[in-house]
């Protein structure tokens, strides 16, 4: 077994590998960029080596710096995590040339399966169903248009070396191809150093199912069941679960055996994932197609660990050291259900725009997962596990992926795992930047999610106008009104005890008008608590200053984040933000005399929606533009965002140029 390994990655996955290596008695070496000098993974490792500036192209993507760090520290092997160099054949070859073990698959398997174009050719030769498409070299935009017209719309344009949802565009017509092809090429080049693109037919109503593969160097290959990853946004997975509510035992066996055969065809060992696209219109599940193989560990690997008890990181290390798998296919079981939600630094209330910045407050619902080696320990604390690599006061950088943490829950049933997600998300505190906690909580509560009727179009279909918060029933609003009245009385009671009050002792108000949405509730606190005259059974504790409260109202339990406002409270729970007005009943009627502020008209400005780099500016002063016309392209979090005109107008002034770094809400140009 290795004595020392180096982790050629950062953030959450670096922490994950370090924890397992530490349990196995293996020393670890971290490498870090300027942006990560104070990151948790750097502190956790036994040794740390600085490898360059913040941009990945100048640090984490430079193989020579990784190899130099191995030589300087005596590391015998490298775990690449996911992303960065994890699927680069040149990196694995360079390590081999220096006698350093790569904790991953053989070079030939990476070459055969890591390239989307070549892997499709190989899969087709092996008799595996592949999606109709063009897998050769595409010359230019005009060539891409001709190919797309021949295949038939809709088509998907993908960077050949892509992954993680980057370098992908869905085109429904020729116009989409012309607008998106060059962006796909640029994203592929910027993120992966490869601008090749391929085009394939987009399967309507698709489900995204993936099979976890694990093999050793002795020819043994197993499949560790499947994961359902259909809920995606911009082709980036948001929710993953194991097993899939769609896959039957028969389907699982057929998919698993075919994926094992494909893996054996390339002599695969280590952990890997074969991604399949399945037509949701075919309940038999027989219409599944090979999509790609990820020759690395997946972000969503914890859900497989939760239901199988297999530590995938440990197995990768043992396989790299030459050990045989200690299990057979018959040993692979399914115990319960696991769901993972990716907590991203993006604002769902503003169109999911990236939201970089400092984590002013970061308190996960349970402490970060520690690898104690116990099979059930992989399920965290009472079935709640947090895998993260950030800290309170740290920064989510614009240079890397926007993921803050992964929240994994395990239950005996799918509903139990989803309920635990909702409870844990309500206790997750993040301040200082936008995040998607409310959004993933809303998904967990959504009737369609609960039914298991999932496709990759779930988010676009269920939230076509964007996200404004999970819907709250009248009963939930009534419960929140009771909580708000209780909090208001407690705050008033604290205020009356402040020095300098009137000589006579004042009683706090016990009657409140609580406005949530369009309804104003009459809340009274006496011997009983009543809302609109109905007695409410409320059990909670609150001390002014508490940021999160737990309340039992009738049969319901709420975890509520509370923030005082000028006229009440901002209460966040169950996937929605409620701006609650709380006033003593005796003065509430006076609010009708208050003047309502009218927000300024900003429609004449093109405003940068997130911090980022202005990649392209398509117009100049004096140009006439039409509604929907692309005006500029802003890159943030390694993704390009096209900004379009909202109306027909003329460009009056231009305030930025291509290459500028822009702050959020910076004015790019003014229209008239």
């Amino acid at each position: 077994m290795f004595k020392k390994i180096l982790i050629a990655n950062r953030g959450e996955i670096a922490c994950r590998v370090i924890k397992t290596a530490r349990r196995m008695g293996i020393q670890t070496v971290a490498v870090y960029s300027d942006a990560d000098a104070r990151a948790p993974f750097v502190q956790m490792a036994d040794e740390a080596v600085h490898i360059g500036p913040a941009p990945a192209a100048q640090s984490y993507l430079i193989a020579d710096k990784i190899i130099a760090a191995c030589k300087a520290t005596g590391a015998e092997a490298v775990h690449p995590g996911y992303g960065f160099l994890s699927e680069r054949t040149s990196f694995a070859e360079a390590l081999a040339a220096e006698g350093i073990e790569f904790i991953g698959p053989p070079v030939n398997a990476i070459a055969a399966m890591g390239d989307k174009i070549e892997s499709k050719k190989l899969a087709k030769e092996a008799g595996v169903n592949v999606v109709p498409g063009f897998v050769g070299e595409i010359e230019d935009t005009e060539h891409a248009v001709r190919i797309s017209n021949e295949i038939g719309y809709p088509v998907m344009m993908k960077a050949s070396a892509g992954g993680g949802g980057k370098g992908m565009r869905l085109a429904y017509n020729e116009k989409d191809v012309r607008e998106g092809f060059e962006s796909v090429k640029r994203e592929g080049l910027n993120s992966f150093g490869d601008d090749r693109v391929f085009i394939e037919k987009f399967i309507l109503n698709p489900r995204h199912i993936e099979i976890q593969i694990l093999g050793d160097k002795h020819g043994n290959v197993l499949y560790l069941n499947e994961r359902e990853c259909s809920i995606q946004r911009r082709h980036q997975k948001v929710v993953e679960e194991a097993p899939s509510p769609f896959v039957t035992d028969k389907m699982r066996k057929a998919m698993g055996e075919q994926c094992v055969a494909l893996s054996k065809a390339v002599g695969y060992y280590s952990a890997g994932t074969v991604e399949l696209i399945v037509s949701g219109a075919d309940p038999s599940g027989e219409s599944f197609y090979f999509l790609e193989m990820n020759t690395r560990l997946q972000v969503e690997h914890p859900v497989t660990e939760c239901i199988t008890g297999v530590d995938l990181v440990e197995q990768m290390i043992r396989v790299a050291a030459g050990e045989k798998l200690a299990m057979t296919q018959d040993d692979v079981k399914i115990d319960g259900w696991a769901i993972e939600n990716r907590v991203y630094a993006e604002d769902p209330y503003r169109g999911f725009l990236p939201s970089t910045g400092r984590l002013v407050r970061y308190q996960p619902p349970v402490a970060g997962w520690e690898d104690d080696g116990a099979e059930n320990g992989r399920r965290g604390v009472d079935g709640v596990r947090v895998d993260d690599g950030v800290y309170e006061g740290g920064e989510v950088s614009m240079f890397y992926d926007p993921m803050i943490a992964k929240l994994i829950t395990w239950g005996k049933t799918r509903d139990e795992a989803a309920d635990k997600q909702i409870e844990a998300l309500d206790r997750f505190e993040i301040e200082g930047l936008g995040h998607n906690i409310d959004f993933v909580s809303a998904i967990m509560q959504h009737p369609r999610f609960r039914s298991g009727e999932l496709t990759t179009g779930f988010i676009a279909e269920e939230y076509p106008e964007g996200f404004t918060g999970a819907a709250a029933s009248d009963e939930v609003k009534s419960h929140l009104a009771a909580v708000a009245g209780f909090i208001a009385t407690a705050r008033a009671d604290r205020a009356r005890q402040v020095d300098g009050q009137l000589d006579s002792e004042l009683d706090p108000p016990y009657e409140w008008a609580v406005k949530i949405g369009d309804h104003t509730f009459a809340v009274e606190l006496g011997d009983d608590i009543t809302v609109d005259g109905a007695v409410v059974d409320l059990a909670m504790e609150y001390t002014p200053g508490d940021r999160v409260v737990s309340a039992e109202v009738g049969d319901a339990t709420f975890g509520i984040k509370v923030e005082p406002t000028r006229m009440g409270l901002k209460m966040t729970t169950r996937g929605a933000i409620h701006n609650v007005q709380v006033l003593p009943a005796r003065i509430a009627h006076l609010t009708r005399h208050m003047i309502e502020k009218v927000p300024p008209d900003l429609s004449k400005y093109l405003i940068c929606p997130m911090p980022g780099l202005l990649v392209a500016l398509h117009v100049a002063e004096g140009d006439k533009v039409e509604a929907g016309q692309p005006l500029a392209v802003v890159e943030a979090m390694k993704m390009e965002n096209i900004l379009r005109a909202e109306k027909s107008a003329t460009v009056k002034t231009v305030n930025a140029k291509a290459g500028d770094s822009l702050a959020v809400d910076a004015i790019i140009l003014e229209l008239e």
Side-chain angles (χ1 to χ4, degrees):
M1 182 50 66
F2 308 117
K3 293 181 180 178
K4 183 184 289 188
I5 65 173
L6 180 145
I7 297 94
N9 217 296
R10 62 175 300 280
E12 165 268 323
I13 187 56
C15 294
R16 166 73 182 89
V17 176
I18 290 169
K19 291 172 183 177
T20 292
R22 179 190 294 161
R23 173 176 59 78
M24 297 174 69
I26 301 171
Q27 289 189 310
T28 56
V29 179
V31 292
Y32 65 93
S33 70
D34 290 346
D36 285 332
R38 302 173 68 181
F41 75 94
V42 176
Q43 309 301 319
M44 289 172 59
D46 296 298
E47 299 174 66
V49 179
H50 177 252
I51 56 169
Q58 300 174 44
S59 51
Y60 295 108
L61 286 171
I62 299 181
D64 289 346
K65 292 187 175 183
I66 306 296
I67 291 171
C70 288
K71 291 180 177 179
T73 58
E76 305 158 81
V78 171
H79 196 301
Y82 36 71
F84 294 141
L85 298 171
S86 62
E87 295 179 283
R88 293 278 183 90
T89 53
S90 58
F91 180 54
E93 288 170 340
L95 290 175
E98 298 292 342
I100 302 167
E101 193 68 38
F102 180 68
I103 302 176
V107 172
N108 66 294
I110 301 174
M113 306 307 294
D115 185 305
K116 288 184 173 69
I117 292 175
E118 294 304 318
S119 66
K120 284 185 178 297
K121 291 179 180 177
L122 182 67
K124 197 169 184 178
E125 291 169 5
V128 179
N129 288 341
V130 297
V131 179
F134 184 86
V135 294
E137 292 287 337
I138 300 176
E139 299 164 7
D140 52 27
T141 300
E142 292 304 320
H143 190 196
V145 169
R146 290 198 303 273
I147 291 167
S148 301
N149 289 337
E150 290 171 5
I151 294 171
Y153 296 100
V155 298
M156 180 69 76
M157 298 178 289
K158 295 184 182 180
S160 179
K166 297 175 181 65
M168 301 174 72
R169 286 287 189 282
L170 180 58
Y172 286 96
N173 50 50
E174 183 176 317
K175 178 173 175 285
D176 291 344
V177 176
R178 292 188 183 280
E179 286 185 4
F181 181 73
E182 290 299 328
S183 286
V184 173
K185 289 190 70 172
R186 281 196 300 268
E187 286 184 8
L189 186 62
N190 292 340
S191 296
F192 311 104
D194 187 340
D195 68 353
R196 289 178 302 151
V197 175
F198 73 96
I199 299 176
E200 65 184 12
K201 179 74 173 176
F202 182 71
I203 305 299
L204 295 173
N205 300 321
R207 296 183 79 116
H208 187 119
I209 308 292
E210 59 188 33
I211 301 292
Q212 176 68 58
I213 294 295
L214 181 63
D216 62 25
K217 296 180 179 180
H218 305 276
N220 301 303
V221 182
L222 311 176
Y223 64 92
L224 274 62
N225 306 314
E226 81 285 350
R227 294 185 288 260
E228 171 86 54
C229 305
S230 294
I231 297 184
Q232 305 176 6
R233 196 189 66 79
R234 292 185 67 174
H235 316 299
Q236 179 88 34
K237 297 167 190 171
V238 177
V239 182
E240 300 104 347
E241 59 182 307
S244 165
F246 178 72
V247 175
T248 63
D249 290 340
K250 181 181 177 183
M251 291 162 57
R252 181 176 298 115
K253 188 172 187 293
M255 291 176 176
E257 289 178 352
Q258 188 166 332
C259 294
V260 165
L262 183 61
S263 301
K264 287 185 175 181
V266 292
Y268 199 91
Y269 55 75
S270 192
T273 296
V274 180
E275 300 199 351
L276 305 171
I277 191 165
V278 186
S279 173
D282 180 6
S284 73
E286 294 177 0
S287 300
F288 63 86
Y289 301 94
F290 171 78
L291 197 59
E292 63 181 316
M293 184 172 189
N294 291 311
T295 54
R296 54 168 168 79
L297 192 67
Q298 292 280 88
V299 175
E300 57 272 21
H301 73 272
V303 294
T304 296
E305 294 183 330
C306 286
I307 67 165
T308 63
V310 177
D311 186 321
L312 288 168
V313 172
E314 177 184 350
Q315 292 302 317
M316 291 181 75
I317 295 172
R318 293 192 180 281
V319 166
E323 294 186 14
K324 284 186 176 181
L325 293 179
M327 70 192 85
T328 66
Q329 190 64 58
D330 290 340
D331 296 324
V332 179
K333 307 296 183 186
I334 297 178
D335 181 13
W337 213 286
I339 298 174
E340 174 181 294
N341 274 305
R342 301 188 187 189
V343 179
Y344 281 127
E346 61 184 16
D347 190 346
Y349 293 101
R350 296 186 66 192
F352 297 92
L353 295 174
S355 181
T356 57
R358 192 164 302 282
L359 283 165
V360 176
R361 187 170 184 82
Y362 176 74
Q363 292 293 326
V366 297
W369 177 75
E370 294 294 338
D371 188 356
D372 62 3
E375 183 175 318
N376 288 345
R378 295 183 192 104
R379 298 170 180 168
V381 179
D382 297 326
V384 179
R385 168 177 165 178
V386 173
D387 284 18
D388 60 15
V390 299
Y391 65 99
E392 189 168 282
E395 189 170 345
V396 176
S397 169
M398 66 179 285
F399 296 103
Y400 311 119
D401 189 88
M403 189 167 67
I404 299 171
K406 301 185 308 198
L407 176 65
I408 304 102
T409 55
W410 176 90
K412 293 180 180 178
T413 65
R414 187 170 184 266
D415 280 342
E416 183 183 341
D419 288 343
K420 286 184 177 181
Q421 279 283 342
I422 297 166
E423 293 172 11
L425 288 164
D426 277 345
R427 302 199 308 274
F428 221 126
E429 291 186 76
I430 297 176
E431 293 180 13
L433 42 73
H435 56 77
N436 68 336
I437 285 176
D438 286 352
F439 180 63
V440 290
S441 177
I443 292 175
M444 293 296 99
Q445 301 170 61
H446 200 288
R448 181 173 163 189
F449 173 79
R450 290 300 182 123
S451 73
E453 297 297 321
L454 312 178
T455 70
T456 56
F458 177 93
I459 290 175
E461 292 161 7
E462 298 302 328
Y463 303 97
E465 303 301 322
F467 180 72
T468 56
S473 66
D474 291 340
E475 182 182 34
V476 166
K477 290 178 181 178
S478 174
H479 292 166
L480 292 179
V483 173
F486 186 95
I487 290 173
T489 296
R491 286 169 54 80
D493 189 51
R494 165 70 68 86
R496 76 182 178 87
Q497 298 177 47
V498 177
D499 288 343
Q501 298 289 336
L502 298 175
D503 290 339
S504 58
E505 188 170 313
L506 300 174
D507 290 326
Y510 290 99
E511 297 181 7
W512 301 92
V514 180
K515 185 178 182 181
I516 303 177
D518 296 328
H519 186 80
T520 300
F521 298 89
V523 180
E524 293 187 24
L525 285 80
D527 294 333
D528 292 313
I529 298 176
T530 64
V531 177
D532 289 343
V535 176
V536 174
D537 184 13
L538 172 65
M540 64 175 287
E541 293 182 3
Y542 173 77
T543 300
D546 286 352
R547 309 172 74 92
V548 179
V549 298
S550 179
E552 295 182 12
V553 190
D555 296 329
T557 301
F558 294 87
I560 307 170
K561 289 183 274 290
V562 177
E563 181 182 334
T565 61
R566 191 168 63 88
M567 294 184 64
L569 301 165
K570 184 168 82 171
M571 304 174 74
T572 306
T573 186
R574 295 195 180 182
I577 297 171
H578 301 276
N579 290 302
V580 182
Q581 186 185 88
V582 188
L583 296 171
R586 59 187 174 79
I587 65 170
H589 67 281
L590 298 175
T591 58
R592 69 176 183 271
H593 299 296
M594 296 181 68
I595 299 173
E596 185 176 345
K597 288 186 177 181
V598 179
D601 179 16
L602 300 177
S603 63
K604 66 179 181 177
Y605 299 108
L606 180 67
I607 297 174
C608 187
M610 81 290 279
L613 178 70
L614 184 59
V615 175
L617 188 63
H618 299 308
V619 294
E621 289 184 13
D623 287 356
K624 294 186 181 299
V625 300
E626 299 298 328
Q629 179 179 333
L631 302 179
V633 179
V634 175
E635 180 186 295
M637 295 289 190
K638 299 186 286 185
M639 300 286 280
E640 290 191 357
N641 302 271
I642 300 174
L643 308 184
R644 301 176 185 274
E646 293 184 0
K647 59 184 179 181
S648 299
T650 301
V651 178
K652 181 180 180 182
T653 58
V654 176
N655 302 318
K657 63 182 183 301
D660 286 355
S661 291
L662 302 177
V664 63
D665 293 334
I667 296 175
I668 299 173
L669 54 85
E670 182 180 353
L671 302 169
E672 62 178 358

